[in-house]
Amino acid sequence: MAELTTFEQFVKRVLEIVFWVLIFLPLVILPVFYLVYVLPVELQCNFVLLGCSHSIDWATALYMFSPNQLNPFDPTSFISSMGLGASSILFRAGFFPGLTFVAVLSSFVIWYERKLLAKMQYRVGPLYAGRVGGIFQSFADLFKLLFKEIVIPAKADRLMFLAPVFGMMALGGALIGIVPVGANEFVASSPYSLLIALAILSFFPLVTLIAGWASNNKFSFIGAIRALYQMISYEIPLILSVIGVVILAGSLDFTGIVNSQNKIWFIAPMILGAIVFYITAMAEVERIPFDLPEADSELVAGWLTEYTSMVFGTINLAIYIKLYAMSAIFTLLFLGGWSGPAPVPDFVWFLIKTIIVMTIFIIPRGANPRIRIDQLIDLGWVWLIGLSFLNIFIALVLKASGLL
Amino acid sequence: MNEEIIFAALAALTIVAAIVSLEARQVVYGAISLAFSFLGVAGLFILLNATFVALFQIIVYIGAIAVLILFTVMLVTKDVEAESKREPIRPFAILIAVALAVVVSLVASFSNFTNTYAVSSNLTVANIGALLTGEYSFALEILALILGASIVGALTLAKLDKE
C-alpha cells in the first residue's frame, strides 16, 4: 500500500474501499440471511414454503442450532437426523475412517518419516515449521504446493496427463473405503473385502503407466515401464501370500479374518506369509529398496517427473494413502487387527499397530540401497513365489490337523 | 426398474468402450478403453450377483491383460499412429453389416432365452470351492495341466532364444 500524501489519494482510497464492500457484502449477507431467516422456516415446514406461515418460531430455530443439537456423536440430535451424524455414511466416508482422517494421518506420517530417517542418518530433519521439531512441515509444504503454478508440458497428452490425478485419488479413496478401522468403524463392508482391496490395488500400475506415457518425457516413460516390470514380479506373490491367512480364517472378509485371530495372531503360524506380504507390499508402495519407478538418483523423479504443484501433491497424497492401506491390511491379516485389552477403544489399538507397521515399512529407506530390476524379478519369481507356496502348505497342514 | 437403468448404463459403457478400442486413432486410447470395456463386464457380473467372478474379472483382465496390452502398445507403436488413416466406408461392407444385424435380431427374437437370471445370493466362495473340487474337479485338473504345459512351453521357448 502506497502512503497517502494528497487529499485526492485519500478520497480515492475511501471510494475504493466502499466499492469493494459493496461487492462483497451480498456474498456475506445473503448466506447469513438464508441461514438465519429462511432455513429455519423451511426446516419447520419440511421444505415446503407455500402453505406454511412465515412467522419465525425463534425458539425452535435457536434450539436447532444450539451446540447440543449440533453434536454429531448424539444419535438423537438435530444434525444426526439430517444425515450428518457420526454414524452417517457421509461422515464415515468423509471424516473419521475416511478421507480427512487418513489425509491428516498421512501428513503426520510424512513428517514422522522425515524425522525418523534424519535421526537414523545423524541429521536434524524438519526443524523450523511449528514449535516441536518442525511438526507443521507437511502443512507448510501443502501451502507451498497450493500456490505453485500447474505446468502441463506442451507436447504432453493433456487429458491423459491429468487423468492419473483423479485416478490415483479415486483408487486411494476406494482403498480406505474398504479397509475397516474398528469392529464398527468402517465405511463399507463386504464378504469379499480382501479381494476387493486386491482388485483395487491391481488398478495402480495402469494409472502409473498412463501417467508415464502421457508426460512425453523419457524419464517418466522409463519410470512407468519399470513400475510395470515391478508389478509383474510382485503381484503374484502378493496374492499368494494372502491365501494362507484366508485358508486359516475361512473368510475373505477383513472382519471375519480379525475375529478368527482371537486365539493367536496369524503372524505366528504364517511368518513366511507375513515376510512375503511385507516385501511385496513394500514393492507395491514403491518404497526404497523397491523405488525403481521413482529412482530419484537415476530418473529425476521417475514417472512423477513432469508433475508440479498440487497435481504432484495429490498424487503424493494418494501414494501415502496406499502406504497407510498396505500397513492397515498387514495389521488386519497378521497382527489381529483391532483386538486388544478392553479400556482402550478398538480403533486406537488398530492405529497403534498400523503406525508400528508403517515404521517397519519406513526404516529400510534410511539404510538400504536400491535393488536392480533383474534382482527384483529373480526375487519375485524364484524366492517369493516359492516361499508363499510353502506358506500355503503350512496353512493346509495346520487346517487339516485341526491345530488352528 | 433401477436394475434395468444400471444394466443399460453398463451395457452402453461396455459396447462404446469396445468400439472406441477398435476405432481410436491413437492406439494407447484404444488400449485404455479396452480396460473400461472389461470394467463394464465386471459391473454386469456384479449385477448378476456374481461378485466373486466380477472381482477376478477386474484382477485378471484389468490388472494383468489390459496392462500388458497397454505395455506392448506403448513399446511398439511410437510412429505407427501418424501413418494410420481412416479407410473410406464401402457400400458392400454396409450391406454385410445390415444383413448380419437382421440375421442376429431374427435369431434373438425366435430363441427361447428371454432373460438372464441372477445367481442366487446364497452362493458363497465356499460353495464355489466345493463345486470346483467336487463336481468339476476333472475340469479343474485339465485346466491346471494346460496351464502347467503352457508355462513349461514358454520356459522352453525362452531358453531356446538364448542359445
Side-chain angles (χ1 to χ4, degrees):
Chain A
M1 285 237 174
E3 273 183 3
L4 300 175
T5 44
T6 57
F7 183 68
E8 279 114 323
Q9 277 179 337
F10 172 70
V11 173
K12 211 173 149 193
R13 177 65 51 78
V14 168
L15 284 177
E16 213 173 288
I17 290 168
V18 168
F19 171 72
W20 286 112
V21 165
L22 281 179
I23 282 186
F24 277 109
L25 264 185
L27 293 179
V28 180
I29 282 187
L30 281 179
V32 169
F33 176 77
Y34 179 77
L35 275 178
V36 173
Y37 189 80
V38 183
L39 195 63
V41 179
E42 289 193 34
L43 289 174
Q44 282 168 36
C45 311
N46 287 328
F47 291 96
V48 182
L49 269 175
L50 297 173
C52 177
S53 70
H54 281 248
S55 65
I56 297 174
D57 186 359
W58 284 104
T60 317
L62 284 177
Y63 173 72
M64 276 174 177
F65 289 99
S66 66
N68 202 16
Q69 292 299 304
L70 291 175
N71 179 10
F73 298 100
D74 183 7
T76 57
S77 69
F78 168 69
I79 193 163
S80 294
S81 71
M82 293 292 288
L84 295 168
S87 57
S88 67
I89 186 72
L90 196 71
F91 185 88
R92 278 187 280 146
F95 295 96
F96 173 50
L99 207 59
T100 310
F101 163 69
V102 178
V104 172
L105 186 72
S106 302
S107 68
F108 165 71
V109 165
I110 291 170
W111 169 80
Y112 171 64
E113 176 185 9
R114 292 176 66 176
K115 209 69 186 167
L116 186 73
L117 294 180
K119 286 278 183 289
M120 285 177 73
Q121 297 168 342
Y122 291 107
R123 292 186 285 113
V124 182
L127 189 61
Y128 294 110
R131 293 278 159 178
V132 192
I135 196 164
F136 292 132
Q137 186 64 49
S138 313
F139 295 97
D141 286 345
L142 170 72
F143 284 111
K144 180 197 75 175
L145 286 174
L146 273 176
F147 287 111
K148 278 187 159 183
E149 184 192 357
I150 296 176
V151 181
I152 299 176
K155 288 275 180 68
D157 190 320
R158 244 186 112 80
L159 174 68
M160 289 293 140
F161 183 77
L162 290 176
V165 185
F166 302 100
M168 287 295 278
M169 211 54 219
L171 292 177
L175 260 184
I176 52 181
I178 203 66
V179 174
V181 178
N184 295 314
E185 287 92 9
F186 52 80
V187 181
S189 72
S190 155
Y192 303 101
S193 49
L194 176 60
L195 267 184
I196 292 174
L198 290 176
I200 295 165
L201 284 176
S202 70
F203 275 95
F204 278 101
L206 192 71
V207 178
T208 311
L209 207 57
I210 291 170
W213 176 80
S215 299
N216 207 351
N217 175 329
K218 58 186 169 192
F219 296 119
S220 306
F221 190 62
I222 292 171
I225 296 289
R226 283 183 178 194
L228 197 80
Y229 271 120
Q230 190 156 311
M231 189 276 282
I232 287 169
S233 48
Y234 71 71
E235 186 114 55
I236 295 167
L238 176 70
I239 294 176
L240 285 178
S241 68
V242 167
I243 291 178
V245 172
V246 173
I247 289 172
L248 286 188
S251 167
L252 282 170
D253 187 4
F254 284 129
T255 315
I257 289 170
V258 169
N259 288 341
S260 64
Q261 295 182 57
N262 49 9
K263 271 185 281 181
I264 184 170
W265 289 357
F266 282 154
I267 194 165
M270 296 282 97
I271 182 73
L272 285 177
I275 291 169
V276 173
F277 187 86
Y278 168 67
I279 295 173
T280 49
M282 205 134 81
E284 171 77 50
V285 294
E286 295 169 7
R287 301 197 73 77
I288 292 174
F290 300 102
D291 70 329
L292 293 155
E294 283 192 42
D296 43 8
S297 53
E298 304 164 24
L299 298 176
V300 191
W303 62 280
L304 287 167
T305 304
E306 294 287 355
Y307 286 95
T308 54
S309 175
M310 208 49 210
V311 179
F312 174 78
T314 316
I315 292 180
N316 230 3
L317 174 64
I319 289 171
Y320 272 89
I321 287 177
K322 209 164 119 182
L323 171 68
Y324 160 78
M326 292 312 284
S327 329
I329 292 171
F330 188 93
T331 312
L332 290 167
L333 292 182
F334 297 107
L335 295 180
W338 51 79
S339 57
V344 184
D346 51 1
F347 65 88
V348 176
W349 279 115
F350 180 82
L351 278 183
I352 291 170
K353 289 175 186 173
T354 306
I355 287 172
I356 290 172
V357 174
M358 269 190 200
T359 314
I360 301 171
F361 273 117
I362 286 167
I363 283 175
R365 191 175 170 182
N368 283 44
R370 189 173 303 126
I371 76 168
R372 282 202 319 269
I373 194 87
D374 57 328
Q375 288 172 329
L376 177 68
I377 292 173
D378 191 52
L379 176 79
W381 281 90
V382 176
W383 291 102
L384 294 183
I385 289 187
L387 282 178
S388 46
F389 269 118
L390 197 61
N391 181 56
I392 292 173
F393 287 134
I394 293 171
L396 283 174
V397 166
L398 286 174
K399 192 76 178 176
S401 62
L403 284 172
L404 275 173
Chain B
M1 190 59 206
N2 225 351
E3 267 186 17
E4 279 169 13
I5 293 170
I6 297 172
F7 172 77
L10 284 173
L13 171 72
T14 312
I15 292 170
V16 169
I19 291 172
V20 170
S21 74
L22 288 173
E23 292 288 323
R25 193 68 69 84
Q26 287 223 357
V27 196
V28 173
Y29 280 137
I32 292 164
S33 68
L34 188 68
F36 275 100
S37 178
F38 291 148
L39 198 64
V41 175
L44 290 177
F45 278 128
I46 289 178
L47 210 61
L48 290 172
N49 254 338
T51 319
F52 191 69
V53 184
L55 289 173
F56 270 96
Q57 164 89 13
I58 290 175
I59 291 175
V60 174
Y61 278 85
I62 294 173
I65 293 181
V67 170
L68 279 184
I69 287 174
L70 196 60
F71 181 49
T72 325
V73 160
M74 279 176 186
L75 277 191
V76 176
T77 57
K78 214 41 175 157
D79 38 306
V80 179
E81 304 161 2
E83 290 167 19
S84 70
K85 56 184 179 215
R86 215 161 279 262
E87 300 237 335
I89 298 167
R90 302 191 193 112
F92 190 59
I94 296 176
L95 201 69
I96 288 181
V98 169
L100 196 67
V102 168
V103 168
V104 167
S105 50
L106 277 178
V107 168
S109 59
F110 284 119
S111 67
N112 286 331
F113 42 88
T114 50
N115 249 322
T116 316
Y117 296 103
V119 184
S120 72
S121 56
N122 55 16
L123 186 76
T124 58
V125 190
N127 291 350
I128 294 172
L131 277 177
L132 272 180
T133 48
E135 200 175 329
Y136 299 104
S137 59
F138 185 67
L140 188 72
E141 279 160 23
I142 293 286
L143 278 177
L145 207 63
I146 291 172
L147 279 177
S150 58
I151 288 173
V152 171
L155 284 178
T156 317
L157 283 178
K159 281 280 176 194
L160 275 181
D161 249 9
K162 268 186 184 168
E163 284 163 11

